[in-house]
Amino acid sequence: MVTQSPFSDRRVANGRYDHKGEYLVHCPDCEALVYTDDWEAETTCTDCETTFDPSAGTVGGGEYACRHCGQRYPVTDAVAEQGGYSQRLYAIEYYCPTCDGDRDSPAKGYKAASDADRERYETAADEWAASDELREYVPDDPIPEGAITAASSISGNDLFQHGYTAWTDCYNDRQLLALATLLRAIDDVEEPLIQEYLLLAFSDMLRFNTMLVGYQASKNHINDLFQTNTFDPVTRPAEANPWGTDYGMGTFRKSVQMVRDGIEYAHAPTDRYLTPEGDTATARFTTPIKTDSELHQADMRDVELSEPVDLIITDPPYYDQLLYADLADYFYVWQRQLLGDRYEAFAPALTPRTGSIVENPFTEQCASDFEADLAEAFATMERQLADDGLLAFTYRYTDAAAWGTLVDTVCDAGFTIEQLYPLSVNVPSFTDASDAEFDVLVVAVPRVEQPTPTSWRALRREMHRDVGELRETLERERSLSQGERGVLELGACLRRYSEHAGRIEQDGEPMDARAVVEAMFTLIEDAGELTATDIFLDLLDDMPDDIAAVHDSIRGTNVDMDTLQQRRLIIESPEGPQLGTWDAPARIRYVDHCVANETNVTPLVKLQFLRRRFERGESLQPQLDAWRDDEGLQALASRLADATGDETYRRLLAERDTTDL
């Protein structure tokens, strides 16, 4: 009997310990958890002997399909017709501190949900239903309609279509009981400062303790609510442990520790830098902040200081990429439960929208509004900054138009861009797949001399020279990824552009900043446009020990890990990631498949195929004749020989070259 999954697929998690390399899947018949070697192949349940395909799901693309007749229907329509949605517990991840002390026993694992587990949930739900006092600590206000909460040009998601109308809908009853109990305990803390630190930790854990997040089976952990910086309802939500064990993400105990670490750092700050020995910390900073410092909370455009400042550090908005008010409401409504009567800023029911520098269709703020407001903010900063002062801010966008607007705004305000620095960040990419994988640190100074006129051709020659010199310098620094090099190269171009900002002509016509930045991207794009073969050659020279380091090495390039793994150029194994060399079994199977089916027969595939035939003493002539017109083979053979020290690659084509003579 073959059954079909009612979910997108039946994966629960990756196997651990003795089951490493296997997958844990959910049987659709008896609901047992079963280990399988391949979650994309038919699996037989070890409990009920039902055969099923864990990868065959009935939910996808916002629709579900009937398991029996296959008819498809929108999920949101079903939610509307049924007046909501239902949830059912089917699997639990556990941690056993007793087993953790026994090396022969698994400390972390998974189990199918039992009747006792469901009864525990119902007990908590009943307690919540009877807890009138605790309900006072929960924000039950309606969710406001906005560009993030409702479908718009910015977000295709819509909380309301999925049945979420009030903030309490984002949590199940047990979560509401736990969160309200915790918030009441924080409210009982008498010291205001300590109470607010605890509230900060509480606010952070809300990212994980909600029914708006799911479980990432491939990485064995719960997801973060704002990994895509929007509200994205999931079909299989995961309920975290709010208090926390020794393991787990987003727990209150870990959030408290993070706040404690921040407080300790604030009292003894250090900086970190890289040495040949690794990551090193400086000595504790000894210069205290001046006691006569001032703290202002205001719109940057309204700030007027009596004395110039030496340094401005800011974080400008990103067009429509981050609508802070819409996102902040999720946390604000909880914080307001304790702070609403304490601070004037928490008096409003929601975070303020008026005056935000953003493009937002729901507040009728367009791109030109954003650009004008941003220009006004940077102009205010230039007035407040000392002549020898420094402006530093981060930006995260690879779109040429957005960068052009930023560059134009900064230069028009009277700044010269000095440099760009890539800052690696440990957060997922934004919703738009074209976004950068770096926060870019932009450093600018007040302009000393007015921009001089130039032609685009002359400026382009200067930029080519600057980028070429920079690349020669960066060749000696192998720790930088190609994406990071690209950021530095863009910085070199922008520094040169600042000398002529607003006075660049092309064919006798003024050239605006957007066109210039788009041309810059084209100028340096070969630094980021690497092929999978280029990445493979780089890794031949310096192969990281773990898969995370491999991710870092390709960060910012146009080659992703999935591509490398699908082509078996990276092969995961218990010993760590392995390269798909010509003699690696998994790569051999891939190469043979490509050649036999005449698909994806890249130059690297051809050379590895020839290399294996050469090793086995087989004739190369049929393939050499077939691939005679591939002019790139010789160059790649030389690159492979240099990277591996295997001169066989150069000899592979000798027979072809002799025939040509």
Side-chain angles (χ1 to χ4, degrees):
M1 173 182 176
V2 178
T3 60
Q4 196 176 34
S5 166
F7 307 125
S8 56
D9 62 63
R10 282 280 173 179
R11 281 179 297 170
V12 174
N14 286 345
R16 294 187 173 114
Y17 309 109
D18 294 340
H19 293 284
K20 192 171 183 179
E22 298 179 304
Y23 302 91
L24 193 65
V25 297
H26 180 237
C27 174
D29 195 36
C30 72
E31 300 198 350
L33 301 187
V34 184
Y35 284 105
T36 179
D37 292 331
D38 187 353
W39 69 273
E40 296 180 295
E42 283 193 357
T43 297
T44 299
C45 177
T46 52
D47 281 25
C48 69
E49 298 186 353
T50 296
T51 298
F52 63 99
D53 182 355
S55 68
T58 56
V59 175
E63 295 183 328
Y64 72 88
C66 175
R67 293 175 56 189
H68 303 288
C69 69
Q71 181 176 345
R72 304 191 68 82
Y73 199 72
V75 172
T76 53
D77 287 356
V79 170
E81 292 174 6
Q82 297 173 15
Y85 53 88
S86 60
Q87 297 173 351
R88 186 170 59 86
L89 184 63
Y90 68 93
I92 295 175
E93 180 182 22
Y94 64 83
Y95 163 69
C96 175
T98 302
C99 293
D100 206 4
D102 183 355
R103 295 190 177 182
D104 295 328
S105 300
K108 291 186 287 185
Y110 301 86
K111 64 183 289 289
S114 65
D115 290 340
D117 295 320
R118 297 187 179 95
E119 288 174 6
R120 275 190 286 271
Y121 176 84
E122 292 302 327
T123 299
D126 291 342
E127 183 178 348
W128 171 245
S131 302
D132 293 337
E133 179 194 353
L134 288 177
R135 289 179 179 275
E136 297 298 322
Y137 286 92
V138 171
D140 58 357
D141 309 86
I143 298 173
E145 188 173 1
I148 296 296
T149 56
S152 70
S153 59
I154 294 175
S155 172
N157 303 315
D158 193 315
L159 285 177
F160 306 103
Q161 290 181 359
H162 285 270
Y164 298 89
T165 59
W167 291 114
T168 48
D169 294 332
C170 300
Y171 313 90
N172 67 28
D173 288 347
R174 182 158 59 184
Q175 287 175 326
L176 290 172
L177 175 66
L179 294 173
T181 301
L182 182 54
L183 195 58
R184 180 178 62 180
I186 294 173
D187 190 29
D188 289 339
V189 175
E190 295 182 359
E191 172 56 48
L193 183 59
I194 295 177
Q195 184 189 82
E196 290 174 15
Y197 278 135
L198 292 172
L199 183 60
L200 183 64
F202 174 89
S203 181
D204 179 70
M205 66 175 287
L206 292 173
R207 294 185 295 125
F208 299 88
N209 291 273
T210 171
M211 287 288 99
L212 289 173
V213 301
Y215 192 83
Q216 191 162 349
S218 61
K219 295 186 177 180
N220 296 73
H221 66 63
I222 198 168
N223 283 327
D224 183 342
L225 172 60
F226 290 127
Q227 62 176 352
T228 56
N229 290 285
T230 185
F231 293 104
D232 189 6
V234 295
T235 55
R236 284 191 289 179
E239 179 186 2
N241 181 334
W243 318 113
T245 64
D246 288 352
Y247 298 94
M249 296 176 61
T251 66
F252 183 65
R253 63 192 295 181
K254 285 193 173 180
S255 294
V256 168
Q257 186 57 52
M258 182 178 66
V259 172
R260 290 174 62 97
D261 292 343
I263 296 170
E264 291 175 2
Y265 178 83
H267 285 85
T270 62
D271 201 356
R272 307 194 74 83
Y273 61 95
L274 290 175
T275 67
E277 289 73 33
D279 189 12
T280 306
T282 66
R284 172 184 173 182
F285 299 165
T286 57
T287 304
I289 297 176
K290 294 181 180 178
T291 56
D292 60 349
S293 59
E294 297 179 359
L295 182 64
H296 300 266
Q297 181 184 11
D299 190 317
M300 181 67 237
R301 294 163 290 181
D302 299 329
V303 172
E304 291 292 340
L305 304 176
S306 57
E307 297 290 337
V309 297
D310 298 319
L311 174 65
I312 295 178
I313 302 175
T314 186
D315 185 16
Y318 309 108
Y319 263 107
D320 57 5
Q321 282 294 90
L322 273 173
L323 300 185
Y324 290 102
D326 286 24
L327 298 174
D329 282 338
Y330 176 80
F331 305 100
Y332 175 85
V333 293
W334 283 95
Q335 296 168 350
R336 187 172 178 268
Q337 298 298 106
L338 299 190
L339 304 180
D341 296 330
R342 186 177 305 177
Y343 298 111
E344 183 180 350
F346 281 90
L350 298 169
T351 56
R353 268 82 171 154
T354 305
S356 295
I357 301 178
V358 72
E359 180 182 350
N360 187 340
F362 269 81
T363 54
E364 299 182 346
Q365 292 170 277
C366 62
S368 58
D369 295 324
F370 169 81
E371 293 164 12
D373 291 340
L374 190 64
E376 185 180 352
F378 275 114
T380 302
M381 295 180 206
E382 199 278 335
R383 290 197 306 271
Q384 302 292 342
L385 194 61
D387 292 341
D388 59 349
L390 199 69
L391 167 67
F393 60 90
T394 57
Y395 207 61
R396 185 186 174 95
Y397 223 142
T398 56
D399 181 79
W403 268 107
T405 298
L406 176 75
V407 169
D408 198 21
T409 301
V410 171
C411 292
D412 280 354
F415 288 102
T416 295
I417 295 178
E418 284 287 289
Q419 187 55 280
L420 269 63
Y421 298 98
L423 302 176
S424 179
V425 290
N426 293 319
V427 296
S429 297
F430 289 149
T431 52
D432 186 345
S434 68
D435 286 331
E437 297 202 13
F438 307 97
D439 271 354
V440 179
L441 175 63
V442 182
V443 179
V445 297
R447 182 186 296 126
V448 176
E449 299 180 355
Q450 291 302 310
T452 57
T454 189
S455 68
W456 166 241
R457 290 186 179 182
L459 178 59
R460 183 173 55 190
R461 286 196 302 271
E462 293 176 337
M463 289 179 178
H464 268 292
R465 183 181 64 249
D466 292 343
V467 169
E469 293 174 353
L470 179 60
R471 287 181 181 176
E472 289 181 5
T473 301
L474 295 180
E475 280 300 315
R476 298 189 293 270
E477 181 50 72
R478 301 188 61 83
S479 64
L480 295 175
S481 73
Q482 193 63 54
E484 290 166 325
R485 293 166 189 255
V487 171
L488 296 174
E489 290 167 7
L490 179 60
C493 291
L494 290 178
R495 182 170 61 249
R496 184 66 66 180
Y497 166 82
S498 297
E499 299 175 2
H500 312 285
R503 307 197 65 182
I504 303 166
E505 290 189 355
Q506 184 178 32
D507 300 328
E509 297 293 331
M511 194 175 181
D512 66 23
R514 293 189 182 192
V516 174
V517 172
E518 188 170 351
M520 288 182 198
F521 275 51
T522 301
L523 186 151
I524 64 174
E525 68 180 356
D526 60 325
E529 291 294 318
L530 296 180
T531 66
T533 298
D534 294 324
I535 297 295
F536 174 77
L537 289 167
D538 286 344
L539 294 176
L540 277 172
D541 187 57
D542 185 18
M543 182 62 181
D545 295 330
D546 60 78
I547 202 69
V550 177
H551 273 283
D552 288 342
S553 69
I554 65 173
R555 189 178 59 246
T557 71
N558 62 317
V559 179
D560 56 37
M561 183 61 71
D562 286 342
T563 298
L564 295 175
Q565 291 180 325
Q566 288 168 5
R567 298 182 184 182
R568 302 299 188 266
L569 290 172
I570 295 293
I571 305 161
E572 289 196 66
S573 72
E575 293 76 33
Q578 306 294 320
L579 272 177
T581 53
W582 68 267
D583 55 350
R587 177 65 178 174
I588 289 173
R589 290 193 294 272
Y590 175 85
V591 167
D592 287 348
H593 174 81
C594 291
V595 174
N597 293 277
E598 298 183 355
T599 59
N600 297 323
V601 186
T602 64
L604 181 58
V605 165
K606 295 175 182 178
L607 287 172
Q608 289 186 327
F609 184 84
L610 292 171
R611 178 67 182 84
R612 188 160 63 92
R613 289 183 70 87
F614 181 90
E615 189 71 15
R616 296 188 305 197
E618 298 174 352
S619 173
L620 308 184
Q621 196 60 51
Q623 281 70 38
L624 291 176
D625 290 340
W627 300 331
R628 179 179 300 276
D629 295 331
D630 193 335
E631 298 177 355
L633 282 182
Q634 190 68 61
L636 180 57
S638 295
R639 293 176 67 188
L640 281 167
D642 292 338
T644 62
D646 184 358
E647 289 298 321
T648 304
Y649 282 108
R650 285 193 176 92
R651 297 198 297 270
L652 289 175
L653 305 182
E655 186 175 349
R656 182 188 70 168
D657 295 339
T658 302
T659 304
D660 290 341
L661 292 174

